[in-house]
Amino acid sequence: DTAVSQTPKYLVTQMGNDKSIKCEQNLGHDTMYWYKQDSKKFLKIMFSYNNKELIINETVPNRFSPKSPDKAHLNLHINSLELGDSAVYFCASSRAPSGSYNEQFFGPGTRLTVL
Amino acid sequence: TQLLEQSPQFLSIQEGENLTVYCNSSSVFSSLQWYRQEPGEGPVLLVTVVTGGEVKKLKRLTFQFGDARKDSSLHITAAQPGDTGLYLCAANFGNEKLTFGTGTRLTIIP
């Protein structure tokens, strides 16, 4: 069984479009995250939710809107896509927020290409 | 802003050789983790170190946490092709998030 799953795996779209990426975890974790990994493989946190509440929002443009309908799901909606949004987006989960030295489990990533 | 610098950025060595990867910061961490990421996949945790001076071993991998809690190293003995991947350190600086390092891309040549 997949612990953290994301859909789609690949997303190719035109500039200006709106798109969503979905994430689900079946580990029973309370905390979920969205990360962006750029072409140089630098992994940077975007958002974190704990028990459906937003706890981290790292100066991400407001075109990016996360939504957590329940503890097992964290979706990412992106409006008015720009060329610079092209990257691999990773969802992750942990038992508790990272201040508690918890292991983060990552999904397989969604490669977004904006043309 | 806390930064984690990893060195080297790229490393390509022959199978059977030993190597060390470094992770450094100007700020003190509460804890440090090492992850390995293979192409097309997400990072996977290798180890967590929390005590200054701590050394942990995982088969041929040895992880060290610096005494001052500002640096860490990963040493691989007798590298194998299966060790190829992107190695990422990730630190907690006393807040609710992990800050990832700049990464080391390791290639082991058979």
Side-chain angles (χ1 to χ4, degrees), chain B:
Chain B
T1 304
Q2 293 100 349
L3 292 174
L4 277 178
E5 293 285 340
Q6 286 186 239
S7 60
Q9 188 179 356
F10 297 94
L11 183 57
S12 184
I13 64 171
Q14 293 289 135
E15 182 177 358
E17 292 184 355
N18 302 333
L19 67 108
T20 303
V21 173
Y22 300 92
C23 174
N24 292 283
S25 173
S26 57
S27 302
V28 173
F29 342 116
S30 303
S31 64
L32 188 114
Q33 297 178 326
W34 283 93
Y35 287 79
R36 180 169 66 210
Q37 184 180 8
E38 298 189 17
E41 298 180 11
V44 176
L45 181 70
L46 296 173
V47 77
T48 300
V49 284
V50 298
T51 305
E54 184 176 3
V55 176
K56 281 193 174 178
K57 291 196 173 188
L58 186 66
K59 297 183 181 177
R60 294 176 295 100
L61 277 59
T62 302
F63 304 86
Q64 184 150 12
F65 198 7
D67 290 337
R69 308 171 68 87
K70 292 184 179 181
D71 60 277
S72 180
S73 64
L74 158 59
H75 182 79
I76 302 179
T77 304
Q80 298 177 1
D83 296 327
T84 293
L86 175 69
Y87 287 80
L88 296 164
C89 62
N92 182 279
F93 289 100
N95 51 26
E96 297 291 334
K97 65 179 183 179
L98 275 184
T99 298
F100 279 83
T102 48
T104 294
R105 290 197 228 189
L106 175 64
T107 303
I108 308 301
I109 304 163

